[in-house]
Every structure is written in C-alpha cells, then in structure tokens.
Amino acid sequence: MKTFALAGNPNCGKTTLFNALTGATAHVGNWPGVTVDKREGVYKGGAEQAAVIDLPGIYSLSPYTPEEVISRNYILDEKPYGIINIVDATNLERNLYLTTQLLEMDVPVIIALNMMDEVQKAGDKLNAAALEKALGVPVVEISALKGTGIKELMARALAMPAERKGSTVLGKALGRQIAAAQAFYEEDGVSSPLFHAVKLLESDELELAKKGAKEALERAAGGEDMEAVIADERYKYISANLATAKVKAGREVLTKSDKIDRVLTHRVWAIPIFLVVLFLIFHLTFSEDLFFIGAIADAAGAPLPSVADLGYVLEDGETLTAAGRTISVFYDGAVFSPGVILFNALDACTSSLTDAIVGAMESAGAAEWSVGLLGDGVLGGIFAVLGFLPQILLLFLFFSILEDTGYMARIAFVLDRIFRRFGLSGRAFMPMIMGFGCSLPATINTRTLADEKERTATIRVIPFFSCGAKLPILTAIAGGIVMAFGVGNADVITFSMYLLGVCTAIIAVLLMRNTTLKGETPPFIMELPAYHVPGFKNLMLHLWDKTKHFVKKAFTIIFASTVIIWLFSHLTWNWHYIPDEEMQNSILASIGMFLQPIFTPLGFGSQLGAYGWVFAVAAITGLIAKENVIATFTTLALCIGAYVGEGTEEGIEEVTGLIAKISLETGISQQEFISALIAFIAFNMTTVPCFAACATARAELPRGKFKWTLLFWLVTSYITGTVIYTTGAWIWPVAIWIAVAAAVTALIVLRNLGKFDICALFKRRKKE
Amino acid sequence: MATKILSDFTVGESGKIVKVTGEGRIRRRLFDMGVTPGAELTMRKKAPLGDPIEVTIRGYELTLRKAEAACVEVELK
C-alpha cells in the first residue's frame, strides 16, 4: 500500500481533510519521544487503497519546534510515497512558503487547494491550472469541509510517478551558493541533497551538527548571512510568480470575522465576555441548578417541589419509585445542567448494573468476600472513574469548540500579558482553568503549549486548581469544623481554600521557572485564524478519540490500582476478608497507623491519638478518586463508633462526630485541631491527584519527568500543610516561614544573577 | 523616509519592513511567519492590556509581543 503524508499549515483544514480521507479507520498515537498527536488511517474511497499519515500543522521546516522536526524527519527518513500538501487558497502567500520548502525534497508532492469556495464567495479568482504549471506538481481543487474534489485528489496522488527530484524556487537568486552546498551532500550520497543544502545555507542547527558542515557552509556562503535572504527570496518568488495566480477583486470591506473580532477582543469588553463564556461552560457542565431557576424560585418565595414532594415515593416516604428515579436524573427541586443530567443517567445505569450483578451473586450463594470484591472493588472502582466521563467529555467538547472556532487563540492574545509575568504564555491559561473542572482534560489540553518546560510546569500545577471531586472534601470538613466548634463560616473556608490552591500554583510556577525549569519565556508569535463554525464531524471524532483513550486507561492502570486498594482495605494481615464495618483491622488501617507519625508536622499525625490514622487512610483512598476521602471518613467514623446512625451523603455529621471523639480522647486544643483540619484539606488539595490524573500526567509529561512530578506534589502538599498547621496553631512560626521564604527568594535571585553558586561553594569546601 | 520600530506603532499605522534583527530562534520564527524585509504590514490592534499586538501581514492576522516586535524595523508609508 502506498503511504502519503499530509502536510500543511495549522488552521488550513488539514484535520478536516484527514477525517474526510480516512473516516473511521483513523487511530491516534504519539510520535516517538514527544507528545504530539500522530494520526494514521487508510483511504478506501478509490480503486486502490492508500495509507495516510497526518503530519502536525507547521509553517516551515525549521528546527525549533518539535512539530517541525517531526515532519521533517518523517519525510526524510520514512520516505513516504508522496506528500499531500494542503494549501489554504484564502491565504496563498504564507501557505506556499511551506510548499516551496517541501518541493526541495526528493519526494513526489501534490497540492490540495482547499477553501476555493471561500475564495469564490469573496469574489476573488484563482487559477489552479496556472499554479500547477508554475509549481511543476499536480494541483487539485478541493473542499475538505464538503468533501468535494477528494476522489480526484487521491486518484492523481496515486498516479504520481514514484520518483521526483527536488526543485527550488531560489535557483535564480542563489544558484551558485546552493550548488556549492549541494556538492557537499552529494559527496556523501544522502537523499534530498537540495533540501539539506538550502537548510545548511540557512545555518540550520540540525545541518550544522553534521561533520564538516560548518566548513562547507563557510565555503558556500563565504560568511554571508543567508537566512534572511532565503526567507525573503521565497516570499519574493511567491508573490511574483505564484500569488499572481490569484486575481484580487479588490475589497476593503470588513469581513464577518473582523466584526466578531472587534467585539471579542474589545479593549474593555474582551475580559468580561471571556469570563461569561467561562462561567457558562462550567455552569452547563457542573451546575445542579441550571440558570439558577431553583434559587430564583426560592427567592421569589415559591420553591420548586422536590421529586419526593411530587409524590413519587414509596410508603416509607423516602425511597423513590421507579418513575421518581427517572425524573430525579433531570430534576430534583431544581433543573440540572446537561453535564449533571448525563452524570446522573450514567450513574443510574451503572448502579442498577452493579445491583443486578451483586443481587445475582448473593442469590447464587457466592461468598461474601467475592461479592464485595466484585461489587465494591472492581465494579465500584471502574464506575467511580467512568462516572466522570460524561462531564469530562462535555468539558472537552466546549473547549474543542472554543479551539476550533478560533476563540482560544484570542483568549491567549488577551491574557498573555498577565501570564508572561510568571514565565508562561497566554496559552497556559486554559489548561489551568480547566483544572477547576477536572485535571484530566486540563492535562491533555496542555498540548497547545509549544514549549516543553512551560508544559511541564503547567501540568504540575494543574491539580492545585481544585477539581470538582475535591469539593466534597472541602464542604464536609469545613462543615464539620463549623458544626463541632461553632466557629467560622463554611463558605469562607471553602473559598479561601480555592484561593490557597491558586496561590500555591503561582508560587510553584515562579519557583520552577526560576530553578529546575528555567528557560526564556517562549516567544509568542502566532497566527490569529479567522473565526469559523466548527465542523460537527471533527468535533465528534475528537471526542471519540478522547473516550477511547480514557476508557482504555480506566480499565488498565486505574482498575488495577483500585482493586489493590480495595484488597488492602478489606483484608487482614492473615488474609481474612473483613466487611466495611471492621475496616479498622485491615492492612490499610495498619499502613495508616504506620504512616500516622509522618503527618505530625501537619497536625493530623500522632497528636490525634488512637484514631488519627483515619486521616492517613482517607488520604490514601483519595488516590482512587478524591470522593473517596470523605467516603472513607464516613465508613471509618462508623467503624470506630464516632458516629451512630444511617450515615449522610455530605459526611458533615460523621466528620463532626469524629472531631468530637478525637477531641475528647486527646484533649487537643480547639485552635490546634482546627488548624490541623484545615491543613488536612490543604494537603489533599495540593497532593498527588487521583490515579486517573496521574496516568494522564505520566503520558503527557516528557520522559523521566513523572517521578519528579510525583515528588513535587508530595513535597508541595507536605510543606503547605505544615505551614498552615504551625501558623494556625501557634501563630509565631509564621515569622520562621517568612524568613525561610525570603532566604529562598534571595538565594534564587542571587544565583540567577550569577552572583552566587551553590555548587562552587561545595567544591571550595571540599578543597579546604 | 522615516523608519520606526514596530513596537512603537500606533493602531492603524502601516509600512514596509526594512530590517529584522533578534536572536536565532525568534528571528527564524518571524521569517517563517512572513515577517521578512520587503513585506508590508498594518498594525490592527493592541490587546486589552496593551501587549501583545496584532498586525495584518501577507493577508492574515499575526500576533506578537512588543518584545518581539522590537526586532522589526519598518519604513512608514
């Protein structure tokens, strides 16, 4: 089967063309060593099948971005049968700049001239036949969106002769220098000598690494700076010979895109509009009171009835009837948002499935431990993770729409100024803010960041933007504090904890960008694509990719770790099964007791006495999914008799019971205990995220960085917890912390100024 | 003819690029995006916080920071 590589600028319809060519055969992987999507598929629309590889979107074949290096190496090393170069007809000049470089390689090229309909709509004319003659390679008009011209494109691509010698548009101006440089490569017999020769003249880093290349460049260019000349000559040639194929009908009216842009990047309104968009996305995904209908009704003095009030209950007055359960997916005293409806619907399906399986096992007389393992451990674990899928996908959908419409690039444009202060670009904002919803899509979204160090720093701080699943920890413990001690306000505590997360993230980024991930702020030179309506098919294919990816993860690494933790919490050291109610005798509990002293500086260690281990265990089970922290709390509160009753969903009463019991037992002071509880919340917010997020971070981080990231999370949460506890409990340690912070800042600043070298200090000591 | 650094442009000004300076990576990126001597550009707008800026060049919209625009010398129209 012949293989074709699809190359072209970003935002020129490349992905749409790829989807049109390959349809359902496409699958996504990674290019080796980097986290850039590699899409492959098979074209089956013609007499002959062809494999299609989608190269990343690029403007040039320079050696500076991973996308460019990947594309270049793929074409040179893997030698595809041909290149399909997709060119945006509405922006011929810049698109053909890449074309002129591709033509220099010894590989057959065919041009797919996309968006011709737009050109015609704008009243411009473009002559494809003239372009074909000028370039010397086939040119086919297509519309990737409508799917027209694709059959002809592939028929002509497959009919191309297998051999083609590279040609350049620079021959007239720089023929002598190119010939001299080309001689150097022809001696070695490398393929595409012309391409290498031109790149060498551009003082390309990758070419200069070759032995003898520096001397060859010196001979060919005679010490002249050719880089500007070459770029300039390419463009000159394009505007003189190729862009003439386009006859401008002369228009100076504002396009629709310009009008939209005027509003969305307005000097005053840009930021408020953006905040509203952001709010709507989160509201539609997570809100349990769509458009505040319920709250408004409450305020108007006519609260909406709950499902139970409507009479869909059994005789006990609590259990909902089947119809009531169906209604409660959509509505319960307030209309739910689409995200919550999907969540409820999936939850209803999975819990009835679990009930059916557990019921069947019980009636078949299966052992209690096997029912527990399958029902709670295996199914419970998988469904806990899969349960988030609808909301994760919805978030993905919204952000893909923002990306595809071209709005995301404007957000980066608007916010870049703020983020540059921290050594990041405006692009880093989106992944971070997505973190408030879920770390998973947020981490994957960092792919839009070009700079590797910027990406690593961003991925590391994403968990500090407290996700939806961490909110229950906040509400339960903050509620417990208020209820047990009668001080403070739960909302204020919750809000300040969110703020704390953001501050931690800012400090961490500043620290990393000045020490381990030091580097210049990446350049911000990018295209602002014209606004357009996103293609439905593209969005759906994108979501399907993400679903496959997530489900695969849920059933492998996440599944395994969930089962292990279930086993630890339901087995004693001599391998006896114990039910939930006896969890205090489990392996996990003894691990918790063993770890308890470690948390002493954070306030929830040894000073909490015989029951302090509950906190350590809750933190560990939180690794499966952060909801488990409170679930474990409530279970253990029942186990140790801190709370008597049915158990509540929010867990506030159980936490209150636990606080009362521990206070009574240890006689710990109120101030100390409150500080410890707040430190516990802070610890959970800044520590290692759930397994699903860890697995994603591991896949997205550069090789070898994940273990350091784990360590970073542990250290950050430990320090944050310690600072909060010691400061809250005794106030005076704050002086020490300020002194330490000042000293660290001074050290880093001095070191970065080159005034102080820690390594040199150590070396000197050794000598002495 | 008067030349002006792109970072000093006000909205609506336009001209022809005469020189592109700067360090390897940034200069290369500017060239690849079509910011080469001889190209004509118009300053479209500033971001709400004053930086980065947006210019029209070679028929498309390009955004760059003032720090990068400082590498571009333009002959005013």
Side-chain angles (χ1 to χ4, degrees):
Chain A
M1 196 163 32
K2 291 172 181 169
T3 305
F4 290 91
L6 195 57
N9 284 185
N11 313 307
C12 69
K14 200 163 62 65
T15 308
T16 317
L17 175 61
F18 178 78
N19 289 339
L21 283 173
T22 59
T25 66
H27 61 99
V28 189
N30 270 341
W31 292 94
V34 284
T35 38
V36 175
D37 281 346
K38 181 185 191 181
R39 292 194 198 84
E40 294 172 86
V42 179
Y43 169 72
K44 291 179 175 168
E48 190 182 345
Q49 293 195 354
V52 183
I53 310 267
D54 189 19
L55 297 178
I58 46 172
Y59 294 102
S60 168
L61 293 168
S62 303
Y64 292 111
T65 71
E67 286 81 3
E68 289 167 340
V69 176
I70 289 166
S71 303
R72 180 166 158 164
N73 291 346
Y74 179 81
I75 300 169
L76 290 174
D77 302 338
E78 307 291 321
K79 302 198 171 60
Y81 183 82
I83 301 173
I84 300 170
N85 176 206
I86 177 163
V87 165
D88 176 356
T90 61
N91 191 350
L92 210 51
E93 220 175 335
R94 204 203 55 227
N95 275 259
L96 286 176
Y97 179 77
L98 175 67
T99 309
T100 60
Q101 296 183 49
L102 292 171
L103 288 174
E104 282 158 9
M105 294 173 155
D106 290 345
V107 59
V109 178
I110 182 167
I111 312 278
L113 202 55
N114 193 24
M115 305 204 211
M116 278 298 284
D117 37 347
E118 297 264 332
V119 174
Q120 278 149 10
K121 221 192 294 169
D124 290 352
K125 288 212 177 76
L126 208 161
N127 192 336
L131 195 62
E132 180 164 332
K133 211 171 154 206
L135 288 170
V137 293
V139 177
V140 182
E141 290 180 23
I142 64 156
S143 167
L145 207 60
K146 291 179 193 149
T148 55
I150 286 170
K151 274 210 153 96
E152 195 203 337
L153 173 75
M154 287 314 287
R156 288 193 70 181
L158 285 159
M160 287 195 291
E163 290 283 328
R164 183 184 156 276
K165 271 268 158 242
S167 64
T168 182
V169 300
L170 304 167
K172 216 175 187 179
L174 302 162
R176 191 183 55 78
Q177 289 91 332
I178 293 174
Q182 203 171 342
F184 167 70
Y185 287 98
E186 271 163 357
E187 267 170 38
D188 280 11
V190 285
S191 65
S192 298
L194 177 65
F195 173 79
H196 288 292
V198 176
K199 285 288 157 208
L200 178 65
L201 289 177
E202 287 178 347
S203 307
D204 188 296
E205 274 175 11
L206 298 178
E207 300 297 336
L208 284 174
K210 200 173 142 72
K211 207 176 148 229
K214 276 206 178 91
E215 293 74 24
L217 171 65
E218 189 62 41
R219 276 199 305 275
E224 217 182 312
D225 170 28
M226 306 289 288
E227 202 179 354
V229 182
I230 291 178
D232 191 33
E233 283 301 326
R234 280 192 208 281
Y235 275 111
K236 262 192 199 147
Y237 185 88
I238 293 166
S239 41
N241 300 302
L242 306 175
T244 46
K246 181 173 173 177
V247 186
K248 257 219 157 166
R251 67 198 152 97
E252 265 312 312
V253 283
L254 277 180
T255 61
K256 209 186 275 172
S257 180
D258 294 331
K259 283 182 202 154
I260 300 171
D261 197 50
R262 276 202 171 173
V263 181
L264 293 183
T265 59
H266 187 270
R267 200 169 47 84
V268 178
W269 297 115
I271 292 176
I273 290 175
F274 166 63
L275 291 176
V276 170
V277 170
L278 207 60
F279 172 78
L280 274 178
I281 289 175
F282 278 94
H283 189 71
L284 289 174
T285 313
F286 294 107
S287 174
E288 296 193 348
D289 187 0
L290 192 65
F291 303 130
F292 304 113
I293 296 170
I296 293 168
D298 271 351
L304 298 173
S306 71
V307 176
D309 296 339
L310 289 170
Y312 293 101
V313 276
L314 297 178
E315 277 141 25
D316 65 358
E318 265 184 39
T319 320
L320 296 179
T321 60
R325 282 202 299 273
T326 313
I327 295 171
S328 69
V329 167
F330 302 92
Y331 168 91
D332 195 2
V335 184
F336 296 148
S337 64
V340 174
I341 292 173
L342 288 172
F343 177 87
N344 289 344
L346 185 69
D347 187 53
C349 294
T350 53
S351 46
S352 26
L353 189 66
T354 311
D355 289 349
I357 292 173
V358 168
M361 282 181 83
E362 273 167 354
S363 56
E368 197 188 341
W369 67 266
S370 63
V371 178
L373 176 62
L374 193 72
D376 290 347
V378 178
L379 296 176
I382 291 178
F383 292 156
V385 178
L386 282 186
F388 290 110
L389 190 61
Q391 282 166 318
I392 291 175
L393 286 182
L394 209 59
L395 265 191
F396 255 128
L397 178 70
F398 285 128
F399 285 101
S400 306
I401 292 174
L402 292 191
E403 186 76 54
D404 289 0
T405 48
Y407 185 48
M408 205 70 107
R410 268 73 182 191
I411 294 173
F413 171 71
V414 168
L415 296 171
D416 181 69
R417 180 74 199 266
I418 304 172
F419 277 73
R420 196 173 345 145
R421 278 168 209 266
F422 309 118
L424 302 173
S425 70
R427 290 232 145 220
F429 180 74
M430 265 302 155
M432 287 188 185
I433 208 79
M434 274 169 103
F436 282 126
C438 175
S439 299
L440 252 126
T443 306
I444 295 173
N445 203 259
T446 57
R447 290 192 173 200
T448 53
L449 300 172
D451 185 87
E452 197 172 84
K453 285 179 175 167
E454 184 187 12
R455 265 196 82 189
T456 308
T458 310
I459 290 175
R460 284 181 179 170
V461 300
I462 281 173
F464 302 165
F465 294 83
S466 197
C467 74
K470 285 179 188 166
L471 184 61
I473 309 179
L474 284 167
T475 43
I477 300 209
I481 291 174
V482 175
M483 212 156 144
F485 301 112
V487 290
N489 175 312
D491 289 344
V492 173
I493 299 177
T494 307
F495 181 75
S496 18
M497 284 293 119
Y498 271 95
L499 213 59
L500 176 85
V502 176
C503 293
T504 314
I506 292 174
I507 296 171
V509 166
L510 275 175
L511 266 178
M512 281 189 282
R513 291 296 279 171
N514 282 301
T515 55
T516 54
L517 294 174
K518 204 152 82 179
E520 293 164 54
T521 311
F524 187 78
I525 306 170
M526 58 171 212
E527 181 186 2
L528 291 176
Y531 291 92
H532 56 91
V533 183
F536 181 74
K537 193 179 165 195
N538 278 354
L539 284 176
M540 289 305 122
L541 281 168
H542 182 71
L543 282 191
W544 176 233
D545 278 348
K546 299 295 173 217
T547 315
K548 273 196 294 195
H549 189 78
F550 187 72
V551 170
K552 211 172 18 178
K553 282 248 161 67
F555 279 94
T556 51
I557 178 163
I558 301 166
F559 169 71
S561 35
T562 315
V563 171
I564 289 170
I565 289 199
W566 186 89
L567 286 173
F568 276 10
S569 55
H570 290 85
L571 287 180
T572 59
W573 283 102
N574 52 8
W575 294 86
H576 276 289
Y577 167 78
I578 43 168
D580 278 359
E581 300 82 61
E582 289 166 38
M583 210 189 261
Q584 72 270 34
N585 300 321
S586 66
I587 297 179
L588 192 65
S590 43
I591 293 176
M593 285 169 209
F594 177 73
L595 290 180
Q596 189 183 352
I598 296 177
F599 295 111
T600 307
L602 286 75
F604 48 95
S606 302
Q607 58 269 69
L608 296 189
Y611 300 117
W613 55 272
V614 170
F615 288 87
V617 171
I620 297 173
T621 55
L623 290 172
I624 297 177
K626 291 293 165 183
E627 287 83 350
N628 284 5
V629 173
I630 293 308
T632 309
F633 250 103
T634 50
T635 312
L636 291 176
L638 289 170
C639 291
I640 60 180
Y643 174 77
V644 190
E646 279 278 305
T648 54
E649 207 177 314
E650 278 88 29
I652 296 176
E653 281 166 40
E654 286 89 336
V655 173
T656 313
L658 198 66
I659 291 172
K661 182 140 184 155
I662 292 175
S663 299
L664 198 70
E665 173 136 345
T666 58
I668 189 168
S669 82
Q670 181 178 330
Q671 191 183 356
E672 246 180 83
F673 204 1
I674 293 178
S675 312
L677 288 167
I678 300 220
F680 178 71
I681 306 179
F683 176 81
N684 276 291
M685 280 184 56
T686 51
T687 197
V688 180
C690 66
F691 281 131
C694 286
T696 314
R698 184 158 177 258
E700 295 298 318
L701 282 165
R703 197 162 295 178
K705 286 266 194 249
F706 180 64
K707 54 177 189 288
W708 295 112
T709 304
L710 275 183
L711 187 70
F712 164 78
W713 285 329
L714 284 172
V715 170
T716 311
S717 52
Y718 197 82
I719 294 177
T720 314
T722 310
V723 171
I724 289 179
Y725 172 64
T726 51
T727 307
W730 300 289
I731 314 293
W732 62 263
V734 78
I736 299 177
W737 295 117
I738 291 174
V740 169
V744 170
T745 315
L747 266 182
I748 291 171
V749 170
L750 282 175
R751 201 189 73 150
N752 287 352
L753 288 173
K755 299 250 165 76
F756 179 74
D757 189 352
I758 298 173
C759 302
L761 204 71
F762 278 108
K763 273 180 211 149
R764 209 178 304 148
R765 281 235 179 107
K766 256 183 203 164
K767 263 184 211 160
E768 283 162 9
Chain B
M1 276 270 208
T3 63
K4 198 171 180 181
I5 304 296
L6 181 58
S7 51
D8 297 334
F9 264 45
T10 51
V11 175
E13 276 187 307
S14 55
K16 199 175 187 177
I17 300 172
V18 283
K19 203 166 142 200
V20 179
T21 55
E23 158 277 331
R25 180 177 168 179
I26 290 175
R27 186 156 176 254
R28 178 79 231 170
R29 178 88 180 149
L30 287 170
F31 287 156
D32 288 343
M33 300 304 282
V35 185
T36 59
E40 296 198 355
L41 58 78
T42 306
M43 167 122 170
R44 279 286 296 270
K45 67 162 91 74
K46 283 180 183 177
L49 299 166
D51 192 14
I53 60 169
E54 181 183 336
V55 297
T56 305
I57 187 167
R58 299 188 187 277
Y60 81 101
E61 308 304 320
L62 177 78
T63 170
L64 67 170
R65 290 186 184 136
K66 280 191 168 168
E68 290 134 6
C71 301
V72 184
E73 205 176 302
V74 187
E75 190 180 85
L76 285 176
K77 234 184 213 169

